């Protein structure tokens, strides 16, 4: 029987602070099939990047823990792998594009050295062969004059070029899964469009699955097939992209949709979600969105809300809306 390429089950992540262990993510579960795309959206602080880094076990092991979690890649338990074996998975089978290429790239190494390191470790290429392959990868990600740019240092490249270098490093070994964490942050809209088109072409060419993490719902709507909405460390809604953007069910998802600028509106005003996301470790006992929610009832704040399965492969964590849907079914 076939299984998903990636299975994340009951992922909870805690970090050690001066005041003790703080919960950052709780009970996150999802699956991703081969050659498919998944978007994870939510405000800053919702736990999106924590989930992504957890897949590759990139949190410091002395100050983090994942109690009861299971993360399986192609049937293999990543949390049970020894560090030596996990290093073989990182970059070769699962690659990641980090948020800020200027801080993720090493400022004292050339582009050739940084792309070549992955090729030497995972494919056994010598320095000359790795440099040639690095030039081919820079051509693939549409960096002009690649033979010259390959010997540049990151600070001599524009933001768009640095992002393309990060993509080149990520796809160097043709991974089966690419995690793109805010891959277009701080780029202008023209470069954003170019980067996303590039990722779309590379996904089709290599046949890889993609997890796109973003707070930009417009970007996610155009790229992915399925969407997870996170708030305060857990999933509040999950659905295929078209139904979710056509009819969001959770009040938080509705709020995110209303906050998207409407260029056709005469008012020119954004509709903001009132309040702010609670800090990690300071989550309400009941629904974590209840203090900001127009649908909130007294029962919402009284006890934790479970996520429920709905028709059409949708999932929802909202007691009033689930009851409303049941009544009209």
């Amino acid at each position: 029987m076939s299984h998903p390429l990636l299975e994340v089950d009951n992922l909870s992540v805690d970090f050690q602070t001066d005041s003790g262990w703080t919960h950052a993510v709780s009970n996150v579960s999802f699956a991703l099939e081969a050659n498919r795309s998944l978007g994870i959206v939510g405000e800053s602080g919702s736990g999106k990047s924590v989930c992504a880094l957890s897949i590759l076990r990139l949190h410091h092991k002395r100050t983090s823990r994942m109690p009861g979690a299971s993360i399986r890649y192609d049937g293999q338990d990543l949390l049970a792998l020894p560090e030596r074996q996990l290093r073989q998975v990182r970059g070769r089978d699962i690659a990641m594009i980090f948020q800020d290429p200027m801080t993720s790239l090493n400022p004292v190494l050339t582009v050739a050295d940084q792309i070549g390191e992955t090729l030497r470790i995972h494919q056994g290429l010598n320095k000359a062969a790795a440099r040639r392959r690095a030039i081919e990868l820079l051509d693939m990600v549409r960096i002009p004059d690649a033979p010259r740019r390959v010997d540049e240092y990151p600070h001599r490249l524009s933001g768009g070029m640095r992002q393309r270098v990060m993509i080149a490093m990520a796809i160097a070994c043709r991974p089966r899964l690419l995690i793109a964490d805010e891959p277009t942050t701080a780029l202008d809209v023209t470069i954003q469009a170019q980067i996303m088109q590039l990722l779309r072409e590379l996904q089709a060419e290599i046949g890889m699955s993609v997890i796109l993490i973003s707070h930009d719902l417009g970007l996610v709507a155009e790229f992915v097939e399925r969407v997870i909405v996170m708030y305060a460390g857990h999933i509040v809604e999950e659905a295929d992209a078209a139904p979710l953007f056509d009819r969001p069910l959770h009040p938080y998802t509705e709020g995110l949709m209303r906050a998207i600028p409407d260029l056709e509106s005469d008012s020119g005003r954004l509709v903001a979600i009132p309040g702010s996301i609670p800090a990690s470790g300071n989550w309400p006992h009941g629904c974590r969105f209840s203090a900001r929610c127009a649908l909130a009832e007294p029962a919402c704040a009284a006890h934790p809300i479970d996520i429920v399965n709905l028709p059409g492969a949708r999932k929802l964590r909202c007691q009033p809306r689930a009851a409303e849907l049941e009544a009209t079914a």
Side-chain angles (χ1 to χ4, degrees), residues 143-162:
I143 288 184
D145 198 9
R148 180 173 67 88
R149 295 295 186 181
V150 78
D151 295 316
E152 297 277 18
Y153 291 90
H155 70 274
R156 295 180 60 87
L157 303 176
S158 68
M161 283 190 178
R162 287 195 294 266

Side-chain angles (χ1 to χ4, degrees), residues 9 44 102 137 152 165 175 198 217-218 249 299 302:
D9 186 41
S44 297
M102 194 59 204
L137 289 164
E152 297 277 18
V165 169
L198 174 60
L217 270 68
L249 297 180

Side-chain angles (χ1 to χ4, degrees), residues 226-229 234-239 244 247-254 287 289 293 295 304-326:
R226 191 162 178 82
V227 181
I228 287 172
V229 182
H234 65 186
I235 295 173
V236 296
E237 185 168 2
E238 179 181 348
L244 184 135
R247 187 193 176 197
L249 297 180
H250 197 280
Y252 178 60
T253 312
E254 292 175 336
C287 173
F289 187 63
C293 180
L295 297 182
I305 308 299
D306 293 328
I307 195 164
V308 297
N309 294 314
L310 300 175
R314 300 192 72 157
K315 298 180 180 181
L316 178 66
R317 192 187 301 271
C318 178
Q319 187 170 283
R321 184 54 54 81
E324 175 186 319
L325 293 171
E326 184 179 354

Side-chain angles (χ1 to χ4, degrees), residues 59 67 71 102 136 152 156 180 199 213 219-220 255 258 268 284 309:
H59 302 302
I71 301 175
M102 194 59 204
E136 294 174 0
E152 297 277 18
R156 295 180 60 87
L199 287 177
I213 299 170
L219 199 69
V220 170
R258 287 194 298 268
N309 294 314

Side-chain angles (χ1 to χ4, degrees), residues 237-279:
E237 185 168 2
E238 179 181 348
D240 291 340
L244 184 135
F245 287 106
D246 182 58
R247 187 193 176 197
L249 297 180
H250 197 280
Y252 178 60
T253 312
E254 292 175 336
L256 292 177
M257 295 287 288
R258 287 194 298 268
I260 298 176
D262 185 359
L263 299 181
E264 297 180 358
S265 172
D266 294 331
S267 67
R269 294 175 61 87
L270 298 180
V271 181
I273 302 174
S276 59
I277 190 168

Side-chain angles (χ1 to χ4, degrees), residues 23-27 231-236 276-278 283-292 300 303-305 317:
H23 305 299
V25 166
S26 59
N27 307 115
Y231 181 80
H234 65 186
I235 295 173
V236 296
S276 59
I277 190 168
W283 295 327
H285 175 68
C287 173
R288 296 175 186 176
F289 187 63
S290 60
R292 309 173 68 187
C300 295
H303 55 80
I305 308 299
R317 192 187 301 271

